[in-house]
Amino acid sequence: MTAVQAEQGVLAGDPRMLIDGELVQTAGGATFDVVHPASEQVAGQAADGTVDDMGRAVAAARRAFDETDWSRDLDFRVHCLTQLHEALERNKEHLRRVLITEVGCPVSVTGSQIESPIEEVKHWTEHGRKFEYLVDNGVHDTPLGPARRKLHYEAVGVVGAITPWNVPFYLNIAETVPALIAGNTVVLKPAQLTPWSGSEYGRIVAEETDIPAGVFNVVTSNANEVGAALSADPRVDMITFTGSTATGRAILAAGASTVKKTLLELGGKSAHIVLDDADFSASLPLAAMMACVMSGQSCILPSRILLPRSRYEEGLAILKASMENFPVGDPWTPGVMQGPQISETQRQKVLGLIQSGIDSGARLITGGGVPENLPVGYFTQPTLLADVDPDSQIAQEEIFGPVLTVTPYDDDDHAVAIANNSIYGLSGEVSSADVDRAFAVATRMRTGNVTINAKSHFGIDSPFGGTKQSGLGYRNGAEGFKEYLAIKTIGMPE
Ligand code: ADP
């Protein structure tokens, strides 16, 4: 029996916030409920922080940046983040249970949500340790004689990190650890539905690391105004955000008056172009799995499948069989790959979009409702819709459910045109027996990332970002680290 199987069951997270080095409740003691999506039961509470709490956290982060050596003492930062990595390792099974409790993510697929981010702490610590913060850019002629230019990479300042609920622990780490090792101070505002992946992170920082008071703060809240206060606060130098495009626009607007640096990873509506020479039996079952594995709650999911008209029904049959056999159920049961949607509101949104697809002429091939054997919990059937009009709402709006839409195309040009018919430009996928042909198609997709033949574009080593309304800037890779740094160019005597 693995450690995971030994230690199962709902586990409430820490109900406190971390503000200026203290694990605290909000002044009036207000809390809000956290619900386990697989049982619909309240699993515990989180602090319902206020705009005042956010103000105190930002003040602490500002002071820690302006008045301590944090931003200048790389050795100390490496020491603290090495401690953080070790502490997260020690708390791994606890964090996994808290994550499953608040997200409903199946235990069998928690590796990318627990092991990967913990590994990333180590990666970023090493990356930050080795980074060249001072680069000699050579001697250049100027009207006043030759000048040497040196580039000094410096922390941006106070970073506000706002995270969503779909992969909360991973994103809490991905948005804050590169910022911290680069010398910034941070205020983290986790999503309402998943406060504990943030509060547990705060507890571990406070109890098990030497990270100084104010350098890292976590403010949980059930109110959007608290995130809005962070994104508008003039004491904050940068916002890093993952979430919906609508909220991204609000954050960009809120930061405009103080010209905040803003890193946005927003929505997607990615297309998977299956070329007519592709191995359908390899690519389509995987496509179905990707749609279901996080209950479809993933921004990079290629949710629009484009099939060649010549092999359309063949492709639909494979997708249908894969979705009908997908293991949906209790997230604590090993082998289950799809859990519930995170909330009833989200499930209703998904079911509403499926209905809008049917209303606009799409053909329901399988799914479309609630699994009969799972009346409790916010479960949704894996759903396949064919003949989807590329201009319809279901082809244009992010669904965030276990739903694939399928649209036929005539030739490669037509497929590319349908794929690019979107306000989003996050990811894409191409399947073909001919990798050169797939590559040519990939270069024509207006997205930040493309996967060819299931070889994923996503990883800590390579930049990840969206084009069009899918985002600004990059996470991951050397580029992702530099986002948390400003360059000071110093002209000086040779
Ligand atoms: P979703 O729509 O999927 O719930 P959102 O993009 O609304 O996701 O939320 C992601 C994060 O943004 C959450 O932490 C949420 O609290 C926060 N948020 C929501 N509205 C705002 C806002 N106006 N300003 C800043 N943060 C916000």
Side-chain angles (χ1 to χ4, degrees), residues 162-165 189-192 223-224 227-228 231 241-244 247 250-251 346 400:
I162 304 176
T163 53
W165 46 258
K189 212 301 283 168
Q192 286 89 325
N224 281 343
S231 63
F241 170 74
T242 304
S244 63
T247 303
I251 286 173
Q346 281 299 317
F400 248 51

Side-chain angles (χ1 to χ4, degrees), residues 132-278:
E132 246 185 283
Y133 294 88
L134 186 61
V135 175
D136 191 334
N137 206 31
V139 175
H140 303 266
D141 282 335
T142 80
L144 297 178
R148 182 176 295 283
R149 307 255 165 77
K150 287 194 176 176
L151 311 184
H152 194 226
Y153 287 85
E154 301 174 353
V156 177
V158 174
V159 173
I162 304 176
T163 53
W165 46 258
N166 60 335
V167 273
F169 182 68
Y170 166 74
L171 284 165
N172 289 343
I173 294 293
E175 291 198 10
T176 60
V177 170
L180 288 168
I181 192 70
N184 301 279
T185 60
V186 171
V187 178
L188 169 65
K189 212 301 283 168
Q192 286 89 325
L193 291 167
T194 52
W196 291 333
S197 291
S199 63
E200 284 291 326
Y201 179 10
R203 176 187 64 78
I204 291 166
V205 164
E207 291 179 347
E208 301 186 40
T209 77
D210 295 331
I211 293 177
V215 165
F216 180 70
N217 306 269
V218 182
V219 179
T220 56
S221 173
N222 201 23
N224 281 343
E225 298 88 78
V226 173
L230 177 62
S231 63
D233 197 308
R235 297 167 294 183
V236 173
D237 299 289
M238 172 176 177
I239 293 287
T240 174
F241 170 74
T242 304
S244 63
T245 293
T247 303
R249 289 187 199 110
I251 286 173
L252 202 52
S257 62
T258 51
V259 196
K260 272 190 218 329
K261 182 166 185 178
T262 309
L263 174 51
L264 300 175
E265 202 268 273
L266 308 177
K269 189 72 190 174
S270 302
H272 179 173
I273 301 180
V274 185
L275 293 175
D276 56 8
D277 62 353

Side-chain angles (χ1 to χ4, degrees), residues 257-419:
S257 62
T258 51
V259 196
K260 272 190 218 329
K261 182 166 185 178
T262 309
L263 174 51
L264 300 175
E265 202 268 273
L266 308 177
K269 189 72 190 174
S270 302
H272 179 173
I273 301 180
V274 185
L275 293 175
D276 56 8
D277 62 353
D279 179 353
F280 280 22
S281 62
S283 60
L284 295 180
L286 261 177
M289 185 185 94
M290 294 312 287
C292 300
V293 95
M294 287 168 65
S295 306
Q297 300 172 148
S298 156
C299 54
I300 57 175
L301 166 69
S303 57
R304 292 186 292 147
I305 307 285
L306 309 186
L307 289 180
R309 213 175 281 282
S310 57
R311 297 180 66 190
Y312 190 58
E313 293 301 329
E314 176 194 347
L316 286 179
I318 295 173
L319 287 169
K320 176 175 189 284
S322 307
M323 292 189 101
E324 286 178 350
N325 291 317
F326 204 76
V328 185
D330 175 23
W332 302 99
T333 306
V336 161
M337 302 278 277
Q338 180 191 322
Q341 308 311 121
I342 194 146
S343 68
E344 180 60 10
T345 307
Q346 281 299 317
R347 177 166 67 172
Q348 288 308 324
K349 190 180 152 223
V350 172
L351 295 174
L353 278 164
I354 293 170
Q355 191 54 49
S356 94
I358 296 167
D359 294 345
S360 65
R363 176 163 49 117
L364 181 67
I365 304 289
T366 189
V370 173
E372 270 175 27
N373 61 333
L374 296 165
V376 176
Y378 310 124
F379 294 93
T380 310
Q381 288 176 318
T383 299
L384 183 64
L385 288 163
D387 311 345
V388 171
D389 176 348
D391 291 319
S392 64
Q393 185 187 18
I394 197 153
Q396 292 291 327
E397 248 181 58
E398 194 172 33
I399 301 175
F400 248 51
V403 182
L404 286 177
T405 68
V406 187
T407 300
Y409 67 84
D410 300 321
D411 55 28
D412 294 12
D413 289 350
H414 187 207
V416 170
I418 299 172

